Amino acid sequence: MKANVADVLDLYEKRCKGNATCKDVEYKTIFTNLQHISEHACESLGIRGLKVSDLEYLDAQYEPSADCIRFPIRNVANKVVGEKILNLSDKTEKTIENYNSSGLLICNPFQKPTRVVLVSNLLDYIILSFQRFNNTSICCLPNGLKSLPQECLPCLENFKEVVFWFDFDTANWDAAKNFSKKLEEKRCFFIRPTESEPAPSKAHKKRLNLQHILNKATPMCHKSITTFNALKYDILSELQNIEKVNGVKWKRYPTLNKILKGHRKGELTILTGPTGSGKTTFMSEYSLDLALQGVSTLWGSFEIRNCRLAATLLRQYVGYSLEDKLHEFEYWTSEFEKYPLYFMTFHGQQPLKLVMEAIEHAQYIHDISHVIIDNLQFMMGTSMTQKSDKFWEQDAIITAFRSFATKNNVHVTLVMHPRKERAEDELTTSSVFGTAKATQEADNVLIIQDKRLTSLRGKKYLQIVKNRYSGDLGIMPLDFDKESLSYSLSNKKKKTISS
């Protein structure tokens, strides 16, 4: 029997899903039935100096029917728990793992190496592996830059030095900083992301000295005081990758891209608007747009139950209600659950400490990049001290989220009610409930202005009244489509199962 991709997909996505007793031996039976690496497969990689024996050393196997190479993923007990597939035609990668476990691709040419180099893709892994650096193991992350599962951490515990060698852009640099917090920053190093020290595959093509670049790895741990000399390479990286520094672009809201430039980590955004103006519905689609692009998102919905919120997100994803198309429910939900969306189980008033503990846990386990609190007023009134001063309590909550966003490089969005204003008056930054601290601490302030009830030709629109990153301000019309629960013109075209 010759294995194919469908066999392994079936094993890991169906039979093993949620089953902690899924047998490693069954995977090995399928894996070892693949062919040995051929000269054709080796040459197709286009890596100078690579030999068939180098790939065989990594336990790689070739699948002729799919024209791909498979590499086993092993856990800390050296058991195969999945595989990483490299398609030779377009060099794309796919990871398949047991639902309840995760591991790493590790090349250990030495018995007890003290240093490990972490890379995010298979081409970098292959190139560094056949260099045989002294006293060094090479490791490929299972999910690239998306996350570093906690199940992988024991595999890296015995190394005294952990070196991150990613590509030279801000997203890779941010991932290295976030992962280092899980691995004890004191033992973490990184290759500075510049053109002179690019990712291994690019450095190999340019015939740069890989050992020389590796020897220049810099400690991740920074002191409380730094210098311009230490910052200049960060500045260079930003200048070389200005579009990525701008953040993740919205696909449904191109107007937001023109004003805010993008969704960036480490910022605090405040969204406000009149009661019933659609703050939650808008924020639902706003966050969905980002999650579909891989932004790991955590929802804290204290006002609306998770079931209703998830149903709204699903409807915005599909483009229409599934109420009369229940036969499509399994298909769309199985597609939707592939995206990194998580929900806190709180409802109603909750104390700050309990909510922050849940957020910090999710950020550590799931590498959360975007946290949404809807809405902040539901976290007030639970403090045991100074109960009578609600403004003091709100300021303390704002301070906690501002600190969390900066310290953990996570974007936090707070949905807040405005003060009671006259219906005919436009909301401004001073309309946000509480003291001025909320809008002072925020990087972005978004206001939904709804003039439909006060004017015959009134419109609803989103107004950006504060933008600390670029300073650009403006408005974005909000035309609501009831069938898809969408404010996006691009979502008016409905999806089909075939799409």
Side-chain angles (χ1 to χ4, degrees):
M1 180 186 75
K2 183 163 67 176
N4 54 48
V5 174
D7 292 330
V8 185
L9 280 171
D10 181 65
L11 175 63
Y12 281 97
E13 294 183 355
K14 295 181 180 178
R15 280 178 275 166
C16 279
K17 189 171 184 179
N19 180 7
T21 62
C22 182
K23 301 298 183 183
D24 177 55
V25 66
E26 186 177 359
Y27 173 82
K28 286 184 176 179
T29 302
I30 290 179
F31 193 82
T32 53
N33 281 328
L34 299 171
Q35 294 185 8
H36 292 294
I37 298 295
S38 64
E39 288 288 347
H40 159 73
C42 185
E43 293 173 359
S44 296
L45 290 173
I47 299 176
R48 173 174 44 84
L50 181 67
K51 301 177 183 177
V52 171
S53 58
D54 295 322
L55 293 173
E56 291 177 342
Y57 183 78
L58 300 176
D59 291 333
Q61 298 283 341
Y62 177 57
E63 174 56 48
S65 59
D67 195 27
C68 66
I69 300 178
R70 292 172 167 162
F71 298 79
I73 295 176
R74 301 179 184 275
N75 63 14
V76 68
N78 203 34
K79 290 186 177 181
V80 177
V81 293
E83 66 178 5
K84 206 167 175 71
I85 301 172
L86 176 62
N87 294 307
L88 295 179
S89 58
D90 55 7
K91 304 300 187 296
T92 57
E93 299 179 12
K94 181 179 179 66
T95 300
I96 304 173
E97 292 184 295
N98 188 316
Y99 183 74
N100 288 323
S101 62
S102 185
L104 298 168
L105 289 80
I106 297 185
C107 171
N108 280 321
F110 304 94
Q111 282 193 342
K112 290 185 178 181
T114 59
R115 179 173 64 179
V116 62
V117 179
L118 301 187
V119 295
S120 61
N121 61 75
L122 286 171
L123 289 179
D124 290 347
Y125 174 66
I126 294 168
I127 287 172
L128 292 184
S129 294
F130 75 80
Q131 302 300 318
R132 303 293 194 273
F133 295 127
N134 186 40
N135 197 33
T136 303
S137 293
I138 310 300
C139 171
C140 182
L141 301 176
N143 303 318
L145 302 176
K146 293 180 180 179
S147 65
L148 177 59
Q150 61 177 344
E151 296 89 352
C152 297
L153 303 184
C155 302
L156 303 170
E157 281 184 355
N158 294 328
F159 295 102
K160 293 182 179 179
E161 292 183 13
V162 180
V163 181
F164 296 93
W165 195 345
F166 298 157
D167 206 350
F168 77 105
D169 62 44
T170 303
N172 287 259
W173 170 225
D174 286 343
K177 289 192 288 188
N178 289 334
F179 294 165
S180 69
K181 295 175 183 177
K182 292 186 176 184
L183 297 169
E184 190 182 353
E185 285 182 301
K186 291 182 180 179
R187 65 183 181 126
C188 292
F189 296 75
F190 70 101
I191 307 296
R192 286 197 179 277
T194 61
E195 287 183 339
S196 61
E197 298 170 3
S201 56
K202 294 179 181 179
H204 186 69
K205 283 184 179 179
K206 293 181 178 181
R207 297 180 180 270
L208 301 178
N209 189 321
L210 298 179
Q211 180 70 67
H212 178 69
I213 296 175
L214 182 58
N215 291 341
K216 293 173 67 176
T218 306
M220 294 288 295
C221 187
H222 297 290
K223 302 296 181 182
S224 298
I225 299 176
T226 187
T227 64
F228 180 80
N229 184 60
L231 293 171
K232 70 178 183 180
Y233 291 106
D234 291 342
I235 298 171
L236 175 61
S237 178
E238 288 197 3
L239 293 174
Q240 291 174 341
N241 302 275
I242 191 63
E243 279 303 309
K244 292 183 178 179
V245 173
N246 285 341
V248 179
K249 306 291 185 184
W250 287 274
K251 293 186 176 180
R252 300 188 180 207
Y253 299 121
T255 304
L256 279 185
N257 295 329
K258 294 179 181 178
I259 302 173
L260 294 176
K261 308 306 179 189
H263 184 268
R264 293 167 292 278
K265 292 182 179 181
E267 291 190 353
L268 178 68
T269 294
I270 288 178
L271 172 69
T272 191
T275 301
S277 61
K279 295 187 293 295
T280 300
T281 303
F282 170 75
M283 184 49 59
S284 171
E285 187 173 27
Y286 173 101
S287 66
L288 174 64
D289 189 327
L290 298 169
L292 295 182
Q293 299 180 67
V295 177
S296 188
T297 302
L298 176 66
W299 260 93
S301 177
F302 306 127
E303 195 169 12
I304 297 175
R305 294 193 178 276
N306 285 334
C307 183
R308 183 178 169 191
L309 173 62
T312 299
L313 286 160
L314 179 63
R315 186 164 172 175
Q316 291 172 333
Y317 172 68
V318 177
Y320 52 83
S321 174
L322 296 176
E323 183 177 349
D324 298 324
K325 298 183 179 182
L326 294 179
H327 62 282
E328 297 182 9
F329 180 78
E330 286 297 330
Y331 172 81
W332 287 118
T333 52
S334 62
E335 288 293 308
F336 187 70
E337 66 184 8
K338 296 177 182 177
Y339 298 104
L341 276 165
Y342 304 89
F343 305 87
M344 285 186 272
T345 57
F346 302 126
H347 187 71
Q349 278 193 329
Q350 300 296 331
L352 174 63
K353 183 179 179 182
L354 192 62
V355 174
M356 291 305 299
E357 285 177 353
I359 293 174
E360 289 170 357
H361 176 80
Q363 198 275 331
Y364 179 81
I365 299 297
H366 302 296
D367 296 295
I368 297 297
S369 300
H370 186 199
V371 175
I372 302 163
I373 300 298
D374 183 17
N375 69 55
L376 182 132
Q377 274 81 357
F378 277 84
M379 294 179 62
M380 296 170 59
T382 60
S383 175
M384 298 303 294
T385 59
Q386 302 191 37
K387 274 190 173 182
S388 59
D389 193 345
K390 57 185 177 182
F391 296 127
W392 176 89
E393 188 176 3
Q394 178 176 303
D395 286 353
I397 295 172
I398 295 289
T399 299
F401 280 115
R402 170 76 270 181
S403 176
F404 173 82
T406 303
K407 181 180 177 181
N408 296 281
N409 199 31
V410 173
H411 194 116
V412 176
T413 300
L414 304 177
V415 180
M416 299 179 64
H417 285 310
R419 302 174 188 269
K420 296 295 183 181
E421 305 273 13
R422 292 190 306 173
E424 60 271 20
D425 293 341
E426 280 198 349
L427 299 179
T428 65
T429 52
S430 60
S431 301
V432 177
F433 183 84
T435 68
K437 186 175 182 64
T439 53
Q440 288 172 352
E441 293 282 9
D443 296 284
N444 314 291
V445 179
L446 316 180
I447 301 177
I448 294 179
Q449 305 280 10
D450 192 353
K451 297 303 172 186
R452 295 172 302 169
L453 299 178
T454 58
S455 173
L456 189 61
R457 297 182 179 180
K459 297 286 187 179
K460 182 159 72 170
Y461 55 92
L462 181 75
Q463 185 177 13
I464 293 85
V465 296
K466 183 177 181 181
N467 174 8
R468 184 172 281 158
Y469 178 73
S470 67
D472 296 332
L473 307 177
I475 64 172
M476 181 181 76
L478 294 176
D479 296 317
F480 186 63
D481 180 67
K482 191 172 182 180
E483 184 181 2
S484 61
L485 302 181
S486 173
Y487 290 104
S488 167
L489 293 175
S490 64
N491 203 36
K492 299 299 186 287
K493 184 179 179 181
K494 313 306 176 192
K495 292 187 180 184
T496 60
I497 288 183
S498 60
S499 66

